[in-house]
Amino acid sequence: MKIIRAKDYKDMSRKAANIISAQVIMKPNCVLGLATGGTPVGTYKQLIDWYNKGDLDFSEVTTVNLDEYRGLPRENPQSYWYFMHDNLFNHVNIDHSRINLPDGTNLDAAAECARYDEVIRSVGGIDLQLLGIGHDGHIGFNEPGSAFELGTHCVDLTQDTIEANKRFFESIDDVPRQAYTMGIKTIMQARKVLLVASGKDKASIVKKAFFGPVTPEVPASILQMHPDFILVGDEEALSEI
């Protein structure tokens, strides 16, 4: 495990983008595993900035996203398909045929999870997986208690996750109750894992996940066992370690 300390959110975003851009430059046809949520947005903005300056070329990159709400169509502004296009894909020269996310409109969970595992296998696996971390230690939608050996699966979202996501919807009743997510097994098979953490509210879970016992009750703790794991955090997020 490598820990990179950043001054603040902007510095964290730049340092994380540096690692991703190095991956793209060293292997132009790499497979990037991407995450949604507030924390990676600054990283995506930095990547777009470097692309606009001519420093990055995404034309051969393939992407696979961590997760998607079950039941939301792509055009819904709260879908992760929409988020990724709004925050990254529409602003760089990525080949849209190389973009992959779980299909939230396929309500046959077994079929969709099997399809997505096959997509990841068919592109040769993930070279670099970007992650955020939830306040309870979840990564993707792998909630506390998730089995470490799972591939892509359908999860029932916890009340805490539903509460955390309600700010994005008109009411809590509109928040999806299920999602498709890469499993921890899939995440651990990525050749490199990069996790970004920002803010004082993440300090206790960062300490618990990366300096406490490895346990399914703190899903991110398994990353202690990954052979090439990098944590990039700002001073507030790393304040307890």
Side-chain angles (χ1 to χ4, degrees):
M1 178 171 62
K2 182 178 181 182
I3 299 173
I4 298 175
R5 189 178 292 267
K7 295 192 297 292
D8 51 25
Y9 177 77
K10 186 175 181 181
D11 189 37
M12 179 211 74
S13 299
R14 185 180 180 86
K15 284 177 164 63
N18 242 333
I19 294 166
I20 297 170
S21 63
Q23 176 68 67
V24 173
I25 291 165
M26 288 188 298
K27 186 180 179 184
N29 65 339
C30 65
V31 178
L32 298 179
L34 299 178
T36 56
T39 311
V41 169
T43 300
Y44 295 147
K45 284 181 178 176
Q46 183 65 73
L47 292 172
I48 292 165
D49 184 47
W50 286 335
Y51 164 74
N52 287 332
K53 289 177 179 174
D55 296 332
L56 282 176
D57 176 11
F58 290 89
S59 61
E60 295 181 55
V61 170
T62 297
T63 67
V64 288
N65 254 74
L66 269 175
D67 42 30
E68 179 60 282
Y69 287 120
R70 182 172 182 256
L72 281 194
R74 289 177 169 184
E75 57 272 13
N76 187 300
Q78 301 309 326
S79 76
Y80 290 157
W81 188 94
Y82 192 103
F83 175 100
M84 289 305 308
H85 284 73
D86 195 39
N87 286 285
L88 181 63
F89 298 151
N90 288 344
H91 309 285
V92 298
N93 65 332
I94 194 163
D95 179 345
H96 283 238
S97 70
R98 293 176 178 266
I99 294 169
N100 299 283
L101 291 93
D103 180 3
T105 64
N106 184 358
L107 299 183
D108 184 335
E112 180 53 27
C113 294
R115 181 197 72 83
Y116 203 59
D117 278 340
E118 176 55 26
V119 166
I120 296 168
R121 189 203 64 77
S122 70
V123 299
I126 299 165
D127 290 303
L128 185 155
Q129 177 65 57
L130 176 64
L131 298 173
I133 185 170
H135 292 102
D136 58 2
H138 72 250
I139 46 177
F141 276 122
N142 294 287
E143 305 282 9
S146 296
F148 285 156
E149 69 272 13
L150 286 177
T152 303
H153 58 289
C154 181
V155 295
D156 295 321
L157 303 185
T158 65
Q159 195 59 41
D160 284 347
T161 298
I162 292 167
E163 287 285 339
N165 290 342
K166 72 177 181 182
R167 69 187 188 277
F168 302 119
F169 293 84
E170 286 189 14
S171 78
I172 195 166
D173 294 334
D174 296 325
V175 183
R177 267 41 183 182
Q178 291 183 311
Y180 295 129
T181 186
M182 278 186 206
I184 290 173
K185 177 183 176 182
T186 314
I187 292 168
M188 289 295 287
Q189 287 173 341
R191 287 177 271 280
K192 182 189 292 287
V193 176
L194 167 63
L195 188 143
V196 288
S198 173
K200 187 71 177 172
D201 59 320
K202 295 292 177 72
S204 63
I205 193 60
V206 165
K207 180 181 180 183
K208 193 174 181 181
F210 306 120
F211 292 86
V214 175
T215 167
E217 295 311 310
V218 184
S221 66
I222 190 67
L223 295 170
Q224 295 180 42
M225 312 298 289
H226 194 280
D228 191 0
F229 169 56
I230 304 171
L231 166 63
V232 180
D234 62 17
E235 286 186 353
E236 288 190 333
L238 302 183
S239 61
E240 294 189 19
I241 62 171

